[in-house]
Amino acid sequence: DDSGILVDPPCPGEEEDDGKVHSVVSTLTKALQTTWLENPSEASVGDLYMPEVLSAMGSFASVLRALGPAMALGRKDFENNLAKARDHYTRSGCGPSFREFLEWERDTGLHQPGGMITGPSGVEGLLWMRRSIDLVAVMMAKMLEGMETKPAIQASYTDTLQPYHKFLLRSTFGAVFRGTPPKQDFLLRLA
């Protein structure tokens, strides 16, 4: 469409191998449950299964989609960070260990001493995805406390992403707040 308006497809549940339609939340929950290594060695106790982490992050994009067209740029940024993380993980040749991937990237010299993450890197992509998940988690907690979507996302942005954004990006988020769907609509999109 030539109107210049960002249009997102509706956020239906996702069909899985069993032919049933599952909610966004159940799909994401299932994806997250598979991220822990089943037989961790002593050196990787508490480690995550990197391919499944990346898969779960792909499922999380559906939650961002449920926030409507106003979140299209945020979702695109999330998907770009996911692609960056996947690309670096694939190029690393690492096994399935999340920790092994983090150590590989550290050992490449991509980052500054003392844990200062510099981009572009897979770890940078993972960090920004985690921050986006924090944004939504805090927003949903505020909604459970009774807040409507718009004030909930404004407050969660202040608590999570705003400290890492420069002025221009902070200004852009004002449009996101204005375009978020009412709480009932958002929750229905997740169902």
Side-chain angles (χ1 to χ4, degrees), residues 15 22 45 92 105 115 165 173:
E15 189 170 315
H22 299 268
V45 170
S92 75
E105 195 163 277
H165 285 171
F173 263 82

Side-chain angles (χ1 to χ4, degrees), residues 54-188:
L54 296 172
S55 177
M57 295 304 96
S59 295
F60 181 78
S62 296
V63 176
L64 297 175
R65 186 175 299 110
L67 285 167
M71 192 54 127
L73 292 175
R75 191 184 75 252
K76 182 66 176 160
D77 185 57
F78 185 89
E79 290 167 346
N80 287 341
N81 282 315
L82 177 57
K84 188 187 321 180
R86 278 188 176 134
D87 178 58
H88 281 259
Y89 174 67
T90 300
R91 287 191 289 135
S92 75
C94 291
S97 165
F98 187 85
R99 182 174 296 155
E100 182 182 343
F101 171 67
L102 296 178
E103 290 170 352
W104 171 83
E105 195 163 277
R106 179 200 61 206
D107 293 345
T108 65
L110 264 173
H111 306 291
Q112 297 173 9
M116 289 296 295
I117 298 172
T118 57
S121 72
V123 170
E124 179 195 40
L126 291 166
L127 175 62
W128 280 105
M129 285 188 291
R130 185 195 59 79
R131 289 174 177 164
S132 294
I133 292 167
D134 284 348
L135 171 79
V136 173
V138 170
M139 180 197 75
M140 292 178 95
K142 291 182 181 303
M143 289 171 66
L144 284 171
E145 294 168 0
M147 284 183 141
E148 185 52 63
T149 314
K150 182 179 174 180
I153 198 168
Q154 285 175 315
S156 67
Y157 176 74
T158 301
D159 294 345
T160 59
L161 289 177
Q162 186 178 18
Y164 306 104
H165 285 171
K166 295 191 171 137
F167 176 77
L168 184 60
L169 204 47
R170 289 178 184 180
S171 301
T172 303
F173 263 82
V176 170
F177 303 145
R178 287 188 297 279
T180 54
K183 183 189 322 192
Q184 189 67 24
D185 292 351
F186 171 64
L187 295 175
L188 284 172

